[in-house]
Amino acid sequence: MSTVRFGPELALLVAAGLVVLVDLAYPRRMVSLALGLLGVAAAAVWTLALGFGGGRGSAFQGTLLVDNFSLFFAVLVLAVTGAVLLASWDSLRAMGGREAEYVALMLVAATGALLLAGVNDLIAIFIALELTSVPQYILAAFSRTNRSSEAGLKYLLYGAISSAVLLYGMAFLYGATGTTSLPGIAHALSAHDGRTAAAVVGMVFVAAGFGFKMAIVPFQMWVPDVYQGAPTPVSAYLSVGSKAAGFAVALRVFLTALRVDGLATDWANMFAVLAVASMTIGNVGALWQRDIKRLLGYSSIAQAGNLLVGLAAATATRGDVLGASGVLFFVAAYAFTNLGAFIAVIALSHRLGSDEIDAYAGAWRRSPLLAVVLAFCLVSLTGIPPTAGFWAKLYIFNAAVRGGMVWLAVIGVLNSVISAAYYLGVVGVMFMRPPAEERRISLSPVVGLPLIVAAVGTLAFGLVPGPLIAAAEHAAAVFAH
Amino acid sequence: MLSGFGPVSAFWLLAVLAVGSALMVVVARNLLHAVLWLILHFVAVAGLFLLMTAEFLAMAQVLVYVGAVGVLVLFAVMLTPSPWSENTEGRLGGVAVLLGGCLAAVLIFVAARTPWAQVTAGGFASTAQAIGRALIGRWALPFEIASVLLVVAMIGSIVLARGED
């Protein structure tokens, strides 16, 4: 039965339904969260069983693929979802009887992200993208504050427009090739000169649609406002889970369907330019931020730029998937690092009652653990050893150099220097400035667990990056020709 | 390929109607008028589907978009406070028209130059049957996922619209 390969998604959807139904009879925050985590765990076990039990293959007549690439992203997205759910523990209290819906929407967003990494057909990709986006529009507006409503509305409007653009691009690709299946498109494009005007227009529009999910320039306008207004755990999910899903589907579409020679050069150049723009605008924008969530928003734009370097280098050399495995490795390292940073921000801001960076003054004295973890994650985001972020940047810039894009790597390194100013600025505020008050900041163990896991992951993959690199290269080998 | 005076003139009539009413949706200052133009646009597109012998799609378009979506939007506009308020005008209107015009020029150029694949009339004996088979066969996954999407959207709108407990 090939439908077994749909198991992880099914487990998440069943859990989402159960969470909402059980909440009707027995509304407890603890029960909703436990059921949600159980669903994530079941999906993770199923994913691992597919991976180790020889479950690779396809389902639904080739629409859904289970290969190393989709398994890699499934494990990543499930880990992120579990961590974000745990980190939401304190925030759930403020939701006034809507905890179950929050958990259920998170699970459905994760289902969409899982499908995005696995589906092999433009129509299915569009529906999966909507399945992961719609819950996030709602979650962004979940706090009953004006800022949160504004965040939800902005995200919805930008999302709706980018979905329309994506669909228009897909229509062009379908018109140019007569099929919606990704291998079918590749086949049709390579049968004759694939670089027709219609294919190029379709490619650009599809890139624009995915660009919104990846939060790259010029589709980044929503990022700072949405990150600032949305509940912090939701911002954490947007910055990691949503971005990972965006890059997963972009890799799948561009490396499967659109890798015909002329067209591949076109999009590699396009992504190289967008990488420079994203890194520069993200980093320069972050320099002026006084709000930690806005700062992390701009930082996530810059990090998306780093990831685009890998995408630009993905087809630079034949028979080599260094760029693609660079993206995978970077996404995984970034997930640990950024989650660690966000969870520390969740815990600190919750107790401090403020997202202002100035309120973090002397955080070191008030909560050594949170301050150290946040500082360590910011160091990793800068790309300084011994952190996972260092290896991620090294790997991805190496891919650019090997692909003959030395200038891109140079700009990337220069941008890392700019980013050090604001990342280390926050560290300075926490460690150098005297605290406003001496009262200790407590940390609930439920939030502490994912925080420690993220920090240990960042350190462990900083010291021993080998296994993660091997996994990323294994997953990217799916695209080797 | 369309041929004969009837189908060709019907196509141009419907095409002008579809594009014109779509333009009016954007240009109309009054929100309610914009919705009415939108409904006219849906009808014109349904006509275009019919011209392409996609009769099931045409009927679905009329039932779902004209009948349900159009009326729903109309209700939503009527039920919001001050529905007669004018569409706001942004400061970047001129720039938007310029950029939109450039994009339209590129797209029209590309669409006109591309040798699109053409289907001869009567490619499908019955489109309803073909669509039904496709939905439970090749596209079963997106079809099922779409239903999850609708449930999620419903739950979400209830959660957001519900007041404090």
Side-chain angles (χ1 to χ4, degrees):
Chain A
M1 268 299 274
S2 66
T3 319
V4 171
R5 304 199 175 98
F6 186 55
E9 289 88 351
L10 205 58
L12 287 176
L13 287 179
V14 167
L18 272 181
V19 167
V20 172
L21 287 179
V22 168
D23 180 66
L24 291 177
Y26 192 69
R28 293 285 179 281
R29 158 172 83 127
M30 177 99 86
V31 175
S32 299
L33 192 63
L35 274 176
L37 288 171
L38 210 62
V40 172
V45 168
W46 205 320
T47 304
L48 292 177
L50 285 177
F52 291 107
R56 289 171 185 77
S58 66
F60 298 103
Q61 303 185 19
T63 307
L64 181 70
L65 292 182
V66 174
D67 52 20
N68 284 334
F69 180 77
S70 73
L71 289 170
F72 182 92
F73 270 103
V75 171
L76 186 71
V77 167
L78 289 170
V80 169
T81 309
V84 169
L85 279 178
L86 281 171
S88 310
W89 178 246
D90 287 327
S91 319
L92 279 177
R93 190 174 298 160
M95 291 193 180
R98 300 181 301 166
E99 301 91 341
E101 285 81 4
Y102 176 90
V103 173
L105 288 171
M106 270 293 180
L107 293 177
V108 175
T111 312
L114 248 61
L115 282 171
L116 262 187
V119 288
N120 204 17
D121 183 284
L122 290 183
I123 294 174
I125 285 174
F126 178 73
I127 299 279
L129 194 75
E130 290 301 300
L131 190 67
T132 181
S133 298
V134 168
Q136 284 160 12
Y137 302 148
I138 300 158
L139 287 170
F142 226 71
S143 315
R144 292 195 190 282
T145 58
N146 286 340
R147 273 257 165 78
S148 179
S149 304
E150 185 195 328
L153 189 64
K154 269 198 176 140
Y155 197 33
L156 172 72
L157 289 178
Y158 276 111
I161 291 170
S162 76
S163 289
V165 171
L166 175 68
L167 214 48
Y168 200 49
M170 287 177 169
F172 265 94
L173 285 182
Y174 176 70
T177 61
T179 173
T180 57
S181 125
L182 299 186
I185 290 173
H187 187 76
L189 287 179
S190 60
H192 45 270
D193 174 30
R195 200 182 168 205
T196 57
V200 172
V201 168
M203 180 270 285
V204 171
F205 277 38
V206 165
F210 295 153
F212 164 74
K213 277 270 119 188
M214 299 188 279
I216 57 174
V217 174
F219 316 105
Q220 90 295 2
M221 282 85 84
W222 57 277
V223 174
D225 291 337
V226 172
Y227 279 27
Q228 187 184 15
T232 316
V234 176
S235 309
Y237 186 81
L238 288 180
S239 78
V240 181
S242 200
K243 202 180 286 274
F247 273 95
V249 70
L251 278 174
R252 173 83 77 190
V253 169
F254 283 95
L255 289 180
T256 308
L258 304 174
R259 66 178 304 156
V260 187
D261 277 336
L263 206 55
T265 319
D266 282 346
W267 62 252
N269 290 335
M270 178 179 76
F271 282 133
V273 171
L274 293 182
V276 172
S278 299
M279 288 190 289
T280 312
I281 290 177
N283 281 326
V284 172
L287 287 173
W288 320 112
Q289 299 310 315
R290 304 304 320 149
D291 181 295
I292 187 84
K293 281 162 81 180
R294 284 186 82 84
L295 182 130
L296 286 173
Y298 277 104
S299 129
S300 97
I301 297 169
Q303 301 288 350
N306 287 325
L307 281 161
L308 279 184
V309 172
L311 200 52
T315 54
T317 42
R318 196 160 266 292
D320 182 0
V321 286
L322 207 58
S325 58
V327 171
L328 294 180
F329 177 51
F330 198 109
V331 163
Y334 170 76
F336 277 105
T337 308
N338 216 40
L339 265 186
F342 256 108
I343 295 172
V345 166
I346 290 169
L348 277 169
S349 295
H350 187 69
R351 302 284 186 243
L352 293 171
S354 167
D355 289 327
E356 294 286 313
I357 293 171
D358 288 331
Y360 283 41
W364 154 248
R365 301 259 290 278
R366 301 184 61 187
S367 174
L369 175 68
L370 285 175
V372 166
V373 168
L374 183 53
F376 184 69
C377 289
L378 292 176
V379 165
S380 177
L381 284 173
T382 319
I384 299 172
T387 58
F390 165 71
W391 293 109
K393 278 195 178 166
L394 189 67
Y395 195 102
I396 220 159
F397 292 154
N398 177 40
V401 172
R402 291 265 294 273
M405 290 189 263
V406 181
W407 61 278
L408 194 54
V410 170
I411 292 177
V413 172
L414 287 178
N415 261 290
S416 297
V417 176
I418 302 179
S419 75
Y422 62 87
Y423 285 134
L424 301 182
V426 176
V427 177
V429 169
M430 287 194 300
F431 285 82
M432 303 301 189
R433 288 221 224 134
E437 52 175 329
E438 286 290 337
R439 199 157 45 84
R440 299 278 294 193
I441 296 170
S442 60
L443 173 66
S444 75
V446 185
V447 181
L449 177 69
L451 180 77
I452 299 295
V453 169
V456 168
T458 308
L459 179 64
F461 291 122
L463 295 173
V464 192
L468 192 57
I469 290 178
E473 285 175 348
H474 223 58
V478 170
F479 301 120
H481 266 243
Chain B
M1 194 71 177
L2 288 174
S3 56
F5 176 73
V8 171
S9 53
F11 169 78
W12 283 109
L13 193 71
L14 287 167
V16 169
L17 198 62
V19 175
S21 54
L23 262 178
M24 285 308 291
V25 174
V26 187
V27 175
R29 303 298 304 270
N30 186 306
L31 269 182
L32 215 58
H33 293 172
V35 177
L36 293 174
W37 282 113
L38 187 67
I39 292 177
L40 183 62
H41 171 74
F42 288 152
V43 174
V45 172
L48 285 174
F49 283 148
L50 207 55
L51 214 53
M52 290 185 267
T53 66
E55 73 281 348
F56 179 78
L57 217 52
M59 286 307 122
Q61 170 86 5
V62 170
L63 278 178
V64 176
Y65 281 90
V66 180
V69 175
V71 173
L72 194 71
V73 175
L74 215 51
F75 264 96
V77 172
M78 300 276 255
L79 288 178
T80 42
S82 60
W84 297 104
S85 63
E86 304 270 288
N87 250 334
T88 52
E89 192 116 314
R91 276 171 298 140
L92 295 172
V95 183
V97 168
L98 187 71
L99 285 178
C102 290
L103 186 65
V106 170
L107 290 177
I108 290 170
F109 177 73
V110 169
R113 283 277 303 267
T114 305
W116 302 105
Q118 292 184 356
V119 180
T120 46
F124 287 104
S126 150
T127 53
Q129 195 181 23
I131 290 174
R133 281 189 195 285
L135 285 184
I136 55 166
R138 177 85 172 80
W139 280 283
L141 180 69
F143 181 57
E144 294 300 328
I145 293 301
S147 62
V148 178
L149 185 61
L150 292 178
V151 173
V152 168
M154 201 162 66
I155 290 178
S157 50
I158 292 171
V159 164
L160 289 186
R162 201 175 68 182
E164 292 284 353
D165 289 322

